[in-house]
Amino acid sequence: MPAQLLINIMIALLWTLLMDEDAFYLSTFIGGYLIGIGILFMMHRFFGAKFYLLRVYSTIRLLFIFISELAQSSLLIIKQILSPKLNIKPGIFTYEHSMEGAYELTTLALLLTLTPGSVVMEVSPDGKVFYIHAMDVEESRDTVLRSIKTFEKAIMEVTRG
């Protein structure tokens, strides 16, 4: 991915230099960058990796998934807090994930911890099991498990391409 990005920037700079203009114009650079995207898209199979904008798209998609999950869980927490009687049953459950590598594992744990109502308390020594504390195990366990599966899929799209 970094090689494709650098080549695209080089194409944009060459385009800007070869346009024979009196000054540097951002519009010319952007035009060259877009032309570079087209060239790299046609030639990306020669780099041995997927087209780099697909990973950028996957990263932006992961960000929107996180924002959506954050909003949904925040509404659930607000509903529980504003109810006249607090009927929650906090608890701990385990989840065996399919993440590989420290980056994927850390990203999943942080996304779950940042989502209100759930906290990754511990990771097993082999790194395959999360111990998750949920604010209301009966009501939010299924929601947390759904969030985990969604996050896992999106993280794998970003890291594994």
Side-chain angles (χ1 to χ4, degrees), residues 42-78:
M42 289 187 290
M43 300 184 68
H44 76 277
R45 68 176 181 257
F46 298 114
F47 292 105
K50 285 190 171 185
F51 185 53
Y52 80 99
L53 283 182
L54 293 176
R55 184 170 283 180
V56 172
Y57 169 75
S58 297
T59 304
I60 292 170
R61 188 168 165 263
L62 175 63
L63 178 68
F64 281 120
I65 289 171
F66 172 68
I67 291 170
S68 169
E69 293 292 330
L70 181 68
Q72 291 173 11
S73 61
S74 295
L75 290 174
L76 179 69
I77 299 300
I78 289 171

Side-chain angles (χ1 to χ4, degrees), residues 31 56 72 79-80 105 109 115 125 138-139 148 153 161:
V56 172
Q72 291 173 11
K79 182 180 124 189
Q80 289 176 347
L105 181 75
T115 306
E138 292 177 356
E139 187 175 323
I148 291 172
K153 183 180 175 190

Side-chain angles (χ1 to χ4, degrees), residues 94-101 104-105 108 122-131 152 160:
T94 61
Y95 178 75
E96 190 167 336
H97 59 83
S98 60
M99 296 283 109
E100 297 174 0
E104 290 181 354
L105 181 75
L108 181 61
E122 189 174 347
V123 179
S124 67
D126 65 348
K128 291 293 180 189
V129 178
F130 282 152
Y131 295 94
E152 274 186 338
R160 298 179 191 174

Side-chain angles (χ1 to χ4, degrees), residues 108-152:
L108 181 61
L110 287 174
L111 287 175
L112 287 175
T113 300
L114 288 172
T115 306
S118 63
V119 176
V120 176
M121 294 176 29
E122 189 174 347
V123 179
S124 67
D126 65 348
K128 291 293 180 189
V129 178
F130 282 152
Y131 295 94
I132 301 170
H133 179 273
M135 191 169 126
D136 189 7
V137 173
E138 292 177 356
E139 187 175 323
S140 66
R141 181 168 191 238
D142 294 332
T143 306
V144 171
L145 290 174
R146 183 183 52 80
S147 296
I148 291 172
K149 291 187 188 312
T150 305
F151 286 145
E152 274 186 338

